[in-house]
Structure formats: C-alpha cells, structure tokens
Amino acid sequence: MEKECAFCQIVRGEKPADIVFQNESVVVFKDIRPHAPVHLLIVPKKHIRSLNDLAEQDQEVLSEMILIARKVAQEKEISNSGYRIVFNVERGGGQVIFHLHMHLLGGW
Ligand code: 5GP
Ligand code: ZN
C-alpha cells in the first residue's frame, strides 16, 4: 500500500469511488472520466506499479482480473455487443496512475 497512490486510497476506502464489484484481491470501479458508455477499472488491491512490475506470484491476480472483467461485462450487458480491455504501460503507453489497472470499455 502506498500512501499517496489514488488507487490505494480507493482500496482503503479513503477516497470515494463508484465501486461495482470487489473481493479479497480485486476492486472494480467506474472511471471518473469515462471514454465509453461503460468504462470500468479493474484494479488489484495489492500495489503494483505497472505491467512491467508484475512478478511470477502475481499471475493469479492477473488471471482473476480478466475473469472478473468478463463477469462484470456480462452483468453490464455489454458482452454480446463487445468490449475492449486495455493496459496502458508507463508514460509512453499513456499510463497516468501508477497502480496496475485494466480498463474495460464497451457499451457502444
Ligand atoms: P491510465 O491512463 O493510467 O491507464 O488511466 C487512469 C484512469 O484512471 C483514467 O482513465 C482516469 O480517468 C482514471 N482516474 C484517475 N483518477 C481517478 C480517481 O480518483 N477515481 C476514479 N474513479 N478514476 C480515476
Ligand atoms: Zn497503489
């Protein structure tokens, strides 16, 4: 957990977010500046800076994030119309929040 990290603050409940799902290891909330009718962020509770910093032991949480994205897409009824999942990696890849997250975009 990082004190100054916006997503760690959401995980700790110190910063408000529109949370749509959470379990022991992952939280899903609405992006504050949506780029699609449905724009959710799938976030591991553990602070990992980016995909570059993913360790061997993080494989489980990564696959969990993907399965949760699929489940939430079904719940939001965007599965059939289709959706994108996106990781921005480091500044050149468009990452601005340095706590690993997966964008789920759909509903077009
Ligand atoms: P990145 O470019 O790092 O992949 O995306 C970060 C995303 O987080 C952006 O789409 C941005 O709108 C969203 N975001 C940044 N700060 C907050 C916040 O405090 N709350 C929520 N819900 N989303 C945020
Ligand atoms: Zn963090």
Side-chain angles (χ1 to χ4, degrees), residues 6-7 10 15-18 29-33 35 39 41 88 94-98 101 103:
F7 287 0
I10 289 172
K15 189 182 166 92
D18 202 336
F29 51 86
K30 291 184 183 171
D31 195 293
I32 208 166
R33 279 181 290 277
H35 284 85
H39 187 172
L41 300 171
N88 295 326
Q95 187 175 6
V96 295
I97 300 286
F98 294 97
H101 55 279
H103 295 258

Side-chain angles (χ1 to χ4, degrees), residues 1-2 5-9 45-48 98-99:
M1 290 291 171
E2 303 258 314
C5 169
F7 287 0
C8 282
Q9 289 169 354
K45 289 189 171 176
K46 176 184 173 187
H47 182 90
I48 301 166
F98 294 97
H99 179 132

Side-chain angles (χ1 to χ4, degrees), residues 38 40 66-83 104:
V38 175
L40 301 172
I66 294 168
L67 291 173
I68 289 169
R70 188 180 69 171
K71 176 178 120 68
V72 173
Q74 281 165 352
E75 286 169 4
K76 295 284 175 189
E77 299 182 328
I78 60 168
S79 293
N80 292 338
S81 56
Y83 55 90
L104 167 62

Side-chain angles (χ1 to χ4, degrees), residues 10-96:
I10 289 172
V11 166
R12 288 195 297 262
E14 293 168 8
K15 189 182 166 92
D18 202 336
I19 293 172
V20 301
F21 171 87
Q22 68 175 314
N23 67 13
E24 245 179 39
S25 43
V26 176
V27 61
V28 181
F29 51 86
K30 291 184 183 171
D31 195 293
I32 208 166
R33 279 181 290 277
H35 284 85
V38 175
H39 187 172
L40 301 172
L41 300 171
I42 291 111
V43 180
K45 289 189 171 176
K46 176 184 173 187
H47 182 90
I48 301 166
R49 178 183 162 91
S50 85
L51 212 54
N52 284 345
D53 301 276
L54 203 70
E56 283 281 317
Q57 64 266 28
D58 299 322
Q59 279 189 40
E60 202 173 318
V61 76
L62 186 64
S63 58
E64 200 181 352
M65 286 164 67
I66 294 168
L67 291 173
I68 289 169
R70 188 180 69 171
K71 176 178 120 68
V72 173
Q74 281 165 352
E75 286 169 4
K76 295 284 175 189
E77 299 182 328
I78 60 168
S79 293
N80 292 338
S81 56
Y83 55 90
R84 296 171 61 206
I85 57 174
V86 175
F87 285 97
N88 295 326
V89 184
E90 292 297 331
R91 286 194 175 80
Q95 187 175 6
V96 295

